[in-house]
């Protein structure tokens, strides 16, 4: 009993309530409060049984993740939850855990130490620790297979996905679903079981016995494939396997050993960084929480191409009726057919019902005119990437849109302020930069022009939430955050090929680093014409005499556009499987020779360092310029928009892990070899490396908040 955990009575039933908002994490004080409450209730002769419940929106969402950093840095010793759980389990009176919201991680471990579990219909249970690079650390890997069986426990501990309450009951994790008032139902259940034996999950072994030993190998194989590069899923499998081979106490000791290995790994540091980075991203220092947001009831999209179609689906998915406009019937039909095909595929995979698809399709109105645009609360533009066209479209829609309607552009590189300048409402103009495929990728870059109003920005963040996207605010700089950094990354990938690495070397080194695909494979997937077009738009800005990549543009001009034409950097068969293209290799050699580039052997280490540090250095430039608010925002962009390996935490976190002094030293080497114009270290990187700082510790947001 303390301010975080209260003990009360409902007749002969003791009720222990955890009150640690927002998610009842097991922060210091909570385990102590549970321990003393259980002890008091056990000692009270008037109490026949005990209910443990979470106050507010949830049961216990797990250990307090903020504490892990303090343990790893040596600031605090690691306190184990296990002794408390054994005390709960040894309580002579039945303990009923009443679950609503989420019982995650240490929360589910607490729940499994109770003698019975009741659950609300919308609740979820899970062991999501692997998503933080760790494994359950308080007997989760030992109790879960005893309650739910080895297969279910492996699935939950190795992959971290939550289980809904009906499934939790079916699996044996919960004993009963309680419709209606959970506390009242839990108290009634506790009266039912009062005086009955107190079954201990640690003593059960009937579900351990029938396990097929082959399941561990197949789950490891699956984890290596779907969680490539990650160590925690494999550790979780080892721990569950230990439950089948060792007595409970020894299994717990093995789990603790594996937990510690994971906790002190750079992977868990990176994944915990990513967890908090994603939650920090929507906090904009000069946008107060109470900033008004415009209600978005109707939307309109211009362009039903690759991006416009996906954006239209995002609105329809969020329950917002949407008009989509094209210039020709043919383009409109093509766009609508793609939308229909995408939904139908989801239905086919069993991830959406036909009725839900029909409902979404019914929200979409395809047309060739601006009819109804004057009713829209937001108009999203996704026409070709061309400034003159975008300005023409914005001038047109500004005349039609109602006052207060937001005008959003999906431009990849163009200046939002210039686009907004042709309208009478620059404060309502903003960039909404989605990532392809727009209906799938979680990232939305929200580009704040110099005139973009605070309400427009706050409304955009709210819209991102409604669309279940992660919205990252970026300043108005060419390519914003993600694409601006991508330019030097792709440049280096091409230079490395010109200098002697093969296409397969470059793609392979970055794939092995953990990227979903290599940079040249990414170019082939997007289409080499896309980059070619962007480079034409900005050719006038190239500094004369500075080396430019040559080959991608030549491939594009030869009509070798990548996957869609079957040839690009690589050759593709009808299943889009790549193989080396000897003609491309010969073209590279010839162009390098003509340009006087010395060919040499290039190590994998150089490939990774040049590509990734090009990302980092550009990230540091835009951070210093204020294009990104925090280094962690850049990481969120790369983790969610470019499939950077989550277990490396994003490029800026990766640089912090490598040590900024080391990163700077390597960039200085590249400068010495390739020149100032290509490899000028970012001033912020120099400053932090010299002062022993990190990107994570550099926080501009406080300064902005103070000035706001
Ligand atoms: N520890 C500390 N803070 C936590 C937390 C935790 N376990 N879980 C959530 N928070 C914080 C968030 O950082 C956020 O803080 P902010 O408002 O200052 O940004 C706030 O709580 C609300 O979180 P969300 O914005 O994520 O709220 P949602 O309602 O969208 O989601 C949730 C709630 C599903 C519980 C989600 O927060 C979540 O998945 N949390 C992590 C759960 C988890 O991983 N648990 C396992 C921890 S490790 C463990 O238990 C080890 C054990 O085996 C010993
Ligand atoms: P796309 O070529 O697939 O589609 C553009 C569509 O706009 C075409 O169907 C065209 O008919 C239509 N259009 C042109 N003018 C129009 C007008 N006045 N009214 C209505 N429709 C009009 O192009 P894509 O790839 O969808 O790109 C659109 C925008 O999104 C560009 O600004 C691009 O830079 C950006 N973008 C593209 C990404 C990609 O991966 N393709 C990723 C993120 C942004």
């Amino acid at each position: 009993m303390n301010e975080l955990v209260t003990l009360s009575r409902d007749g002969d039933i003791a009720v222990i309530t955890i009150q640690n908002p927002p998610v009842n994490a097991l922060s210091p004080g909570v385990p102590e409060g549970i321990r003393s409450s259980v002890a008091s209730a056990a000692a009270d002769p008037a109490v026949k049984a005990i209910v443990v419940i979470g106050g507010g929106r949830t049961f216990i969402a797990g250990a307090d993740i903020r504490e892990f950093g303090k343990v790893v840095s040596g600031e605090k010793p690691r306190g184990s939850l296990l002794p408390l759980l054994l005390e709960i389990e040894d309580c002579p009176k039945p303990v009923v855990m009443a679950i609503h919201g989420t019982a995650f991680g240490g929360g589910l471990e607490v729940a499994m130490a109770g003698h019975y579990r009741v659950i609300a219909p919308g609740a979820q249970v899970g062991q999501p620790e692997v998503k933080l690079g760790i494994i359950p650390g308080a007997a989760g890997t030992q109790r879960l297979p005893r309650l739910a069986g080895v297969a279910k426990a492996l699935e939950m501990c190795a992959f971290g996905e939550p289980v809904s309450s009906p499934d939790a009951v079916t699996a044996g994790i919960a004993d009963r679903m309680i419709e209606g008032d959970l506390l009242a139902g839990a108290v009634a259940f506790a009266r039912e079981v009062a005086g009955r034996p107190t079954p201990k999950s640690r003593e059960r072994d009937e579900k351990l016995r029938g396990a097929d030993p082959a399941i561990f190998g197949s789950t490891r194989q699956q984890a290596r494939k779907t969680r490539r590069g990650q160590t925690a899923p494999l550790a979780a499998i080892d721990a569950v396997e230990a439950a089948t081979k060792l007595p409970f106490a020894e299994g717990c000791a093995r789990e603790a050993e594996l937990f510690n290995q994971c906790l002190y790994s750079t992977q868990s540091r990176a994944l915990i960084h990513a967890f908090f980075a994603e939650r920090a991203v929507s906090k904009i220092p000069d946008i107060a929480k109470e900033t008004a947001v415009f209600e978005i009831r109707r939307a309109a999209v211009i362009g039903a191409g690759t991006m416009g179609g996906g954006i239209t689906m995002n609105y329809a998915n969020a329950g917002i009726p949407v008009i989509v406009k094209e210039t020709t019937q043919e383009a409109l039909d093509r766009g609508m057919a793609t939308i229909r095909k995408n939904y139908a595929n989801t239905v086919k995979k069993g991830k959406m019902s036909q009725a839900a698809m029909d409902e979404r399709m019914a929200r979409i109105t395809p047309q060739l005119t601006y009819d109804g645009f004057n009713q829209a609360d937001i108009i999203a533009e996704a026409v070709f990437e061309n400034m003159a066209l975008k300005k023409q479209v914005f001038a047109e829609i500004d005349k039609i849109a109602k006052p207060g309607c937001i005008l959003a552009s999906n431009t990849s590189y163009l200046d939002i302020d210039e686009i907004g300048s042709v309208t009478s409402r620059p404060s309502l103009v903003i960039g909404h930069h989605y990532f392809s495929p727009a209906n799938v990728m979680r990232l939305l870059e929200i580009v704040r022009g110099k005139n973009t109003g605070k309400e427009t920005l706050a409304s955009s963040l709210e819209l991102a939430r409604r669309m279940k996207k992660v919205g990252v605010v970026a300043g108005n700089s060419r390519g914003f955050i993600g694409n601006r950094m991508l330019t030097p990354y792709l440049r280096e990938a091409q230079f490395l090929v010109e200098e002697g690495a093969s296409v397969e070397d470059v793609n392979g080194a970055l794939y092995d680093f953990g990227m979903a695909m290599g940079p040249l494979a990414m170019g082939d997937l997007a289409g080499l014409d896309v980059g070619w077009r962007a480079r034409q738009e900005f050719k006038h800005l190239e500094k004369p005499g500075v080396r430019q990549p040559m080959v991608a543009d030549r491939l594009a001009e030869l009509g070798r556009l990548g996957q869609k034409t079957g040839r690009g950097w690589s050759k593709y068969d009808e299943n889009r499987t790549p193989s080396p293209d000897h003609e491309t290799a010969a073209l590279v050699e010839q162009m390098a020779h003509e340009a006087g580039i010395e060919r040499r052997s290039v190590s994998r280490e150089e490939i990774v360092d040049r590509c990734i540090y090009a990302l980092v250095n550009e990230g540091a430039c835009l951070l210093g310029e204020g294009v990104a608010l925090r280094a962690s925002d850049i990481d969120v962009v790369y983790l969610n928009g470019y499939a950077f390996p989550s277990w490396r935490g994003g490029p800026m976190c990766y640089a912090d892990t490598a040590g900024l002094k080391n990163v700077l030293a390597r960039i200085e080497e590249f400068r010495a070899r390739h020149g100032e114009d290509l490899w000028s270290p970012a001033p912020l990187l120099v400053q932090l490396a010299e002062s022993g700082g990190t990107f994570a510790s550099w926080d501009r947001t406080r300064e902005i908040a103070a000035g706001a």
Side-chain angles (χ1 to χ4, degrees):
M1 290 156 289
N2 53 31
E3 69 283 5
L4 298 169
V5 182
T6 58
L7 174 63
S8 59
R9 282 257 307 277
D10 183 332
D12 52 359
I13 306 298
V15 176
I16 298 173
T17 309
I18 297 132
Q19 306 272 16
N20 183 25
V23 297
N24 291 328
L26 293 161
S27 315
V30 174
E32 293 79 355
I34 298 174
R35 167 174 286 128
S36 60
S37 302
V38 170
S40 300
D44 184 344
V47 169
K48 299 274 183 298
I50 301 164
V51 167
V52 179
I53 194 164
R57 67 190 211 206
T58 186
F59 190 69
I60 301 166
D64 186 333
I65 300 167
R66 287 166 304 190
E67 295 294 308
F68 292 139
K70 297 179 194 162
V71 172
V72 171
S73 68
E75 188 186 326
K76 273 190 157 182
R78 184 185 163 230
S80 171
L81 203 56
L82 194 54
L84 164 66
L85 304 193
L86 295 175
E87 280 170 39
I88 295 175
E89 205 170 26
D90 288 337
C91 176
K93 297 174 185 174
V95 179
V96 178
M97 300 288 177
I99 300 168
H100 73 300
T102 47
F104 279 177
L108 179 55
E109 289 170 312
V110 169
M112 290 192 293
H115 305 113
Y116 301 96
R117 283 151 295 280
V118 295
I119 192 164
Q124 292 186 317
V125 300
Q127 298 284 179
E129 287 89 342
V130 284
K131 295 186 179 176
L132 302 170
I134 54 174
I135 65 166
T141 61
Q142 307 302 300
R143 280 204 171 90
L144 198 50
R146 287 173 160 84
L147 284 179
V150 173
K152 193 76 187 166
L154 273 177
E155 188 188 306
M156 289 173 69
C157 295
F159 304 111
E161 295 308 327
V163 166
S164 65
S165 40
D167 289 350
V169 174
T170 311
I173 301 169
D175 300 290
R176 187 181 294 173
M177 181 112 82
I178 304 274
E179 305 279 351
D181 186 330
L182 178 65
L183 178 59
V187 167
F189 183 93
R191 282 207 179 98
E192 240 177 271
V193 296
R196 285 207 211 150
T198 49
K200 295 179 179 151
S201 53
R202 71 173 191 258
E203 288 174 357
R204 292 175 55 175
D205 68 352
E206 67 276 9
K207 288 197 176 174
L208 293 179
R209 278 186 242 127
D212 174 4
I215 196 170
F216 300 107
S218 60
T219 311
R220 280 188 187 98
Q221 222 171 354
Q222 192 189 347
R224 286 199 181 95
K225 198 164 148 209
T226 62
R227 304 289 187 276
R228 188 165 58 90
Q230 296 190 33
T231 49
L234 298 172
I237 297 166
D238 289 352
V240 174
E241 189 172 18
T244 65
K245 296 194 166 146
L246 301 171
F248 181 78
E250 284 173 44
C252 288
R254 177 72 184 127
E255 179 195 77
E257 196 185 337
L258 290 160
F259 177 90
N260 274 328
Q261 281 167 16
C262 290
L263 183 64
Y264 287 90
S265 68
T266 52
Q267 292 203 359
S268 86
R269 193 183 145 269
L271 285 158
I272 289 173
H273 161 83
F275 176 86
F276 286 115
E278 201 172 288
R279 281 153 184 86
V281 90
S282 59
K283 298 181 176 96
I284 312 301
D286 64 335
I287 306 281
K289 258 195 176 151
E290 48 283 356
T291 305
V293 295
F294 304 122
E295 206 179 323
I296 295 184
R297 274 173 260 122
R298 285 167 192 284
V301 174
I302 308 181
T306 310
M307 296 307 288
I311 296 168
T312 302
M313 290 175 76
N314 288 335
Y315 282 106
N317 294 345
I320 302 169
V322 54
I323 299 170
V324 54
K325 175 192 178 289
E326 257 294 346
T327 45
T328 64
Q329 191 62 46
E330 196 194 344
L332 191 61
D333 291 346
R334 203 172 37 235
M336 286 303 291
T338 306
I339 292 175
R340 194 168 291 111
K341 192 177 83 198
N342 287 341
Y343 278 134
N345 281 340
T346 315
V347 171
K348 220 180 343 183
K349 286 186 202 145
K351 291 184 179 164
M352 186 187 282
S353 68
Q354 185 63 46
M357 167 175 166
D358 295 344
E359 220 173 90
R360 286 166 204 218
M361 286 302 295
R363 288 191 193 116
I364 302 173
T365 310
Q367 62 188 44
L368 297 174
T369 65
Y370 281 126
D371 284 354
F373 271 57
N374 57 355
Q375 304 289 312
D377 302 298
I378 185 164
I379 301 175
E381 165 276 314
V383 303
F384 304 123
E385 184 78 345
N386 173 282
M387 181 55 93
L389 176 63
K390 302 246 182 211
K391 280 179 160 174
Q392 182 203 319
V393 168
F394 269 70
E396 280 169 20
I397 55 179
D398 182 46
K399 292 200 190 84
I400 301 159
K402 67 180 180 186
C405 173
I406 296 176
L407 308 183
S409 173
N410 187 48
T411 178
S412 307
Y413 290 94
L414 300 174
D415 183 335
I416 281 294
D417 293 323
E418 191 178 339
I419 295 175
S421 70
V422 299
T423 72
S424 61
R425 60 180 89 203
S427 73
L428 289 156
V429 174
I430 193 160
H432 283 184
H433 182 220
Y434 295 85
F435 288 71
S436 183
N439 53 311
V440 176
M441 298 295 283
R442 275 187 81 218
L443 179 63
L444 173 62
E445 267 186 345
I446 298 175
V447 186
R448 182 179 192 175
K450 70 174 186 301
N451 298 314
T452 303
K454 291 186 178 180
E455 292 86 355
T456 308
L457 190 67
S459 308
S460 299
L461 284 161
E462 176 55 26
L463 180 65
R465 257 191 300 275
R466 268 178 90 180
M467 289 180 171
K468 299 194 168 57
K469 306 260 177 213
V470 43
V472 181
V473 176
N476 181 28
S477 156
R478 179 162 34 121
F480 320 118
I481 297 175
N483 282 344
R484 178 167 154 186
M485 289 165 64
L486 198 67
T487 303
Y489 171 77
L490 296 179
R491 175 198 77 198
E492 288 305 310
Q494 288 204 56
F495 282 175
L496 286 155
V497 172
E498 292 171 5
E499 288 165 33
S502 69
V503 169
E504 294 69 38
D505 288 340
V506 172
N507 283 335
L510 285 147
Y511 179 81
D512 290 347
F513 173 81
M515 303 297 290
M517 63 177 76
L520 305 171
M522 191 169 97
D524 276 352
L525 176 69
L528 296 179
D529 50 328
V530 173
W532 180 85
R533 204 165 288 124
R535 281 186 292 275
Q536 300 311 306
E537 186 85 18
F538 295 106
K539 222 167 181 78
H540 60 289
L541 298 176
E542 283 174 10
K543 198 167 157 192
V546 176
R547 179 180 172 193
Q548 296 292 337
M550 305 173 290
V551 183
D553 282 353
R554 179 70 68 83
L555 288 170
E557 282 153 12
L558 290 169
R560 292 158 63 147
L561 306 181
Q563 287 195 16
K564 59 186 164 191
T565 57
R567 300 192 78 166
W569 286 106
S570 300
K571 254 200 279 205
Y572 295 88
D573 65 15
E574 56 289 356
N575 301 319
R576 301 199 164 203
T577 308
S579 59
D581 189 325
H582 302 297
E583 280 182 32
T584 300
L587 178 70
V588 170
E589 221 167 297
Q590 180 205 330
M591 291 182 80
H593 175 73
E594 283 165 10
I597 295 167
E598 186 198 334
R599 306 267 291 167
R600 61 191 170 86
S601 109
V602 179
S603 70
R604 285 170 92 76
E605 187 196 4
E606 180 179 348
I607 294 172
V608 170
D609 285 358
R610 276 180 58 188
C611 292
I612 300 296
Y613 289 163
L615 273 184
V616 170
N617 198 41
E618 196 64 28
C621 285
L622 59 85
L623 191 57
E625 292 165 25
V627 176
L629 273 172
R630 318 166 182 87
S632 62
D633 286 8
I634 298 177
D635 288 334
V636 173
V637 165
Y638 264 79
L639 295 172
N640 292 285
Y642 298 86
F644 199 91
S646 58
W647 48 274
R648 293 197 189 270
M652 309 314 274
C653 175
Y654 173 72
D656 276 347
T657 306
L660 296 189
K661 272 199 175 76
N662 301 327
V663 175
L664 179 61
R666 197 78 169 120
I667 289 178
E668 292 289 7
E669 275 176 47
F670 299 147
R671 168 158 71 175
R673 185 179 225 167
H674 302 282
E676 182 74 31
D677 287 313
L678 297 170
W679 282 103
S680 184
L684 180 64
L685 172 63
V686 176
Q687 179 199 317
L688 291 172
E690 285 174 355
S691 63
T694 58
F695 288 128
S697 62
W698 189 77
D699 191 350
R700 250 180 102 244
T701 56
R702 264 180 255 140
E703 200 183 298
I704 299 171

